[in-house]
Amino acid sequence: MYSKANTTWLKHWDFILLDMIMFQIAYICSYVMRMGLENPYQDETYLSIGVVICLIDICIVFFTEPYHGIMRRGYFIEFKYVLNHVFLLSVLEVCYLFLSKKASAFSRLSFIWFIPMAVIFIYLERIICKRYLVKHKRLFYQKINMLLVTTRSEADDVLERMRLNSFNEFEIIGIAYANENPEENETIRDIPVLCRADVIPEYIQTRWVDAVFIGVGDKTKVPCELTSQCLDMGLTVHDVLKGMEEWTPNQYINRMGGYMVLTSTVRVASFRQIILKRIMDVCGGVVGLILTGIITVFLAPAIYISSPGPIFFSQTRVGKNGKRFKIYKFRSMYQDAEKRKSDLMDKNEMSGCMFKMEADPRIIGSGPDGTKHGLGWFIRKTSLDEFPQFWNVLKGDMSLVGTRPPTEDEWKQYKPYHRARLAVKPGLTGMWQVSGRNDITDFEEVVSLDMKYIKNWNIGMDIKILLKTVLVVLTGSGSK
């Protein structure tokens, strides 16, 4: 029987538990630094805050997944992750103190001491814990005895790759050549070459072997019946999919249509992540539509007076994986804006499959040369034109955070690799919008930012982008 490695947020429960302990130690030490050798948990206020710190920490772990790839991080990267974790927890702790009105009863000096102590304790704990796990073996995991099946020419490369990408969760006890007999007493990297692959069943019959790893590029060299024989003996068989290692890290074996298939994608999202993102979208959509209704009361008459015609503007856009949908905005341009676009293409400030023009005469109140700052400029500068898209978010055509949905004309100009940016739902905001979009004039840079978002996406990233978007809108930066 094979115990599959846990891939949920509880996979690193050891780090979660140790971090929680370190937060409490830092909390106690910060209290002692301010109050002396006393027990902080005797005070009702400090006891409740200690409990809240634990709850906040669990929420951060659940929503932001701070332990993803923790065993592969270097010292500096780990320090950045610790800083981010402690900073986020401290901000949420301040929010709790403010909302619960307990700030006056809590020592500010104690809080100031808590931050550097938490950073130091958690950083040291993670480094020491990782060193131990790498040097010895994973706690509460039994090391697997594994037999490697390979060829003489591939053996050294396979062993080196396995050494660099494992953390002592298994031990190669021997090597079997796929299509040739080993020499007497032959070893590779001090690992004995035991036998030829076709006699593996006889060899392991009375020996301790948990699994067989088949690391052969040319599968024709491996005996056809080897896998079935090993399975009949109750062993686990790991068969390398040659050539697929560098394509994408998001691959898994799946059943589809009665077939066993290898599923590969740009980014794998768990069911929990998808549900959480949709809950965020629904909540944001409802709140956004309420705000849209309030804004409409004031903005609708202004738009109609400045440019008689529809208050809202709709346009067909291209969504996830090429799905068409109608996007809605407050109209910030004159009604003939789409017809006049072709005449202005030579003034496009973007290189690539997007159109952007600072002095755009199609904007309401911009004047013949497009330099005046009228109502349309105000609507776009404050991003008020985007509010009706909360209806698209609530319907499910869009998300709060994603990539910019292209027009059909832009979509037709896409190169094959540009299409990857629509592997997710388009969003009201995204990496491009909070990365100084006024300064970005190359569409390839937009694609690069979108792909960075898709490949590294998690709920925590969405929350950060939303907070940055609020800051961008309030400061009026990033829009033209």
Side-chain angles (χ1 to χ4, degrees):
M1 182 180 292
Y2 174 59
S3 178
K4 187 177 180 181
N6 193 359
T7 57
T8 69
W9 68 296
L10 288 173
K11 175 182 178 180
H12 296 295
W13 67 269
D14 44 359
F15 285 102
I16 295 173
L17 180 61
L18 288 172
D19 278 2
M20 196 174 295
I21 293 172
M22 290 301 109
F23 271 123
Q24 292 302 311
I25 292 175
Y27 182 63
I28 294 170
C29 289
S30 65
Y31 179 87
V32 170
M33 292 291 290
R34 175 65 180 88
M35 304 295 187
L37 292 174
E38 296 181 10
N39 180 7
Y41 304 120
Q42 290 179 343
D43 187 292
E44 183 179 344
T45 298
Y46 283 86
L47 174 62
S48 64
I49 294 171
V51 173
V52 167
I53 287 174
C54 290
L55 297 176
I56 291 174
D57 184 42
I58 293 173
C59 290
I60 291 172
V61 172
F62 186 78
F63 285 105
T64 67
E65 303 177 13
Y67 303 106
H68 180 70
I70 188 171
M71 295 299 294
R72 293 177 173 82
R73 297 178 198 158
Y75 294 111
F76 179 69
I77 299 298
E78 189 61 60
F79 186 70
K80 286 175 61 179
Y81 271 85
V82 170
L83 277 179
N84 185 68
H85 195 150
V86 174
F87 173 76
L88 186 55
L89 183 139
S90 301
V91 169
L92 294 174
E93 182 185 352
V94 170
C95 293
Y96 168 76
L97 289 170
F98 174 77
L99 294 174
S100 64
K101 298 181 180 181
K102 293 183 178 180
S104 59
F106 187 74
S107 170
R108 284 171 288 183
L109 187 59
S110 177
F111 176 78
I112 292 172
W113 273 111
F114 170 75
I115 296 174
M117 285 184 172
V119 170
I120 294 170
F121 290 164
I122 290 176
Y123 180 71
L124 291 176
E125 164 255 307
R126 290 188 185 181
I127 295 300
I128 293 170
C129 185
K130 287 197 292 184
R131 281 191 173 186
Y132 177 84
L133 293 177
V134 171
K135 185 176 180 180
H136 300 278
K137 66 178 183 178
R138 289 181 180 272
L139 291 173
F140 312 112
Y141 289 87
Q142 184 173 352
K143 188 177 289 190
I144 298 171
N145 268 17
M146 194 153 63
L147 181 66
L148 172 63
V149 179
T150 185
T151 62
R152 181 177 274 116
S153 60
E154 295 174 288
D156 194 68
D157 290 339
V158 172
L159 289 172
E160 176 64 11
R161 184 165 190 160
M162 296 178 77
R163 182 187 70 81
L164 293 174
N165 293 278
S166 64
F167 305 102
N168 274 357
E169 63 265 36
F170 58 81
E171 181 177 356
I172 303 295
I173 59 169
I175 299 171
Y177 285 150
N179 62 341
E180 57 186 311
N181 292 314
E183 299 175 0
E184 188 175 354
N185 297 323
E186 183 179 356
T187 61
I188 300 177
R189 298 192 176 209
D190 296 326
I191 300 174
V193 182
L194 304 173
C195 61
R196 186 182 169 105
D198 53 9
V199 298
I200 284 178
E202 289 80 7
Y203 179 84
I204 64 178
Q205 178 65 30
T206 56
R207 291 174 172 84
W208 175 22
V209 177
D210 296 310
V212 173
F213 188 95
I214 303 176
V216 181
D218 184 359
K219 300 301 181 185
T220 61
K221 296 179 180 179
V222 181
C224 298
E225 67 280 2
L226 178 61
T227 298
S228 60
Q229 287 177 335
C230 290
L231 291 175
D232 288 342
M233 297 177 73
L235 298 177
T236 299
V237 179
H238 304 281
D239 199 348
V240 169
L241 297 169
K242 200 70 174 179
M244 302 294 288
E245 303 92 335
E246 304 299 333
W247 186 22
T248 169
N250 298 304
Q251 299 171 322
Y252 58 96
I253 301 299
N254 190 22
R255 281 192 175 274
M256 183 170 288
Y259 288 93
M260 185 66 72
V261 298
L262 174 68
T263 300
S264 304
T265 184
V266 177
R267 177 72 169 88
V268 176
S270 67
F271 179 74
R272 173 180 63 85
Q273 290 175 318
I274 293 172
I275 291 297
L276 284 174
K277 187 172 178 68
R278 185 56 187 154
I279 290 173
M280 283 177 58
D281 288 344
V282 170
C283 294
V286 171
V287 173
L289 284 177
I290 293 172
L291 294 175
T292 303
I294 297 172
I295 293 170
T296 302
V297 173
F298 300 96
L299 200 56
I303 293 174
Y304 188 81
I305 292 171
S306 300
S307 174
I311 305 302
F312 297 98
F313 167 77
S314 67
Q315 185 184 48
T316 300
R317 292 290 183 98
V318 182
K320 182 179 179 181
N321 293 327
K323 179 184 178 182
R324 268 71 169 177
F325 70 99
K326 285 280 188 181
I327 197 173
Y328 299 95
K329 292 186 175 186
F330 281 119
R331 186 166 61 87
S332 62
M333 290 187 172
Y334 294 109
Q335 291 190 68
D336 61 349
E338 288 299 301
K339 296 178 181 178
R340 295 166 62 186
K341 181 178 178 180
S342 58
D343 299 330
L344 300 170
M345 288 304 295
D346 59 330
K347 297 181 181 179
N348 185 13
E349 297 171 6
M350 292 288 293
S351 60
C353 308
M354 291 176 68
F355 181 85
K356 186 173 73 172
M357 182 179 174
E358 182 174 359
D360 194 336
R362 301 174 302 157
I363 298 175
I364 297 173
S366 61
D369 58 357
T371 57
K372 290 185 179 180
H373 290 171
L375 177 66
W377 176 87
F378 172 77
I379 292 173
R380 294 164 71 88
K381 187 69 175 177
T382 55
S383 298
L384 291 176
D385 58 326
E386 309 288 350
F387 272 79
Q389 291 171 46
F390 281 109
W391 172 243
N392 293 115
V393 173
L394 196 60
K395 285 174 59 183
D397 295 327
M398 296 177 63
S399 181
L400 291 177
V401 184
T403 60
R404 176 187 176 274
T407 64
E408 290 188 292
D409 289 341
E410 292 170 350
W411 171 255
K412 292 174 183 177
Q413 300 175 51
Y414 273 19
K415 296 178 181 178
Y417 66 92
H418 291 157
R419 197 182 192 279
R421 65 185 295 271
L422 292 179
V424 297
K425 284 183 183 180
L428 274 174
T429 186
M431 290 282 284
W432 175 54
Q433 286 87 340
V434 298
S435 301
R437 71 186 190 191
N438 279 351
D439 301 323
I440 299 175
T441 58
D442 189 351
F443 178 65
E444 297 299 330
E445 190 172 348
V446 174
V447 174
S448 177
L449 287 171
D450 288 339
M451 294 311 299
K452 179 181 178 182
Y453 168 76
I454 293 171
K455 291 179 179 178
N456 298 284
W457 173 81
N458 57 50
I459 295 296
M461 180 180 285
D462 275 4
I463 295 172
K464 290 177 185 177
I465 291 175
L466 287 172
L467 293 175
K468 286 183 178 180
T469 300
V470 173
L471 182 62
V472 167
V473 171
L474 291 177
T475 57
S477 61
S479 297
K480 287 188 178 181

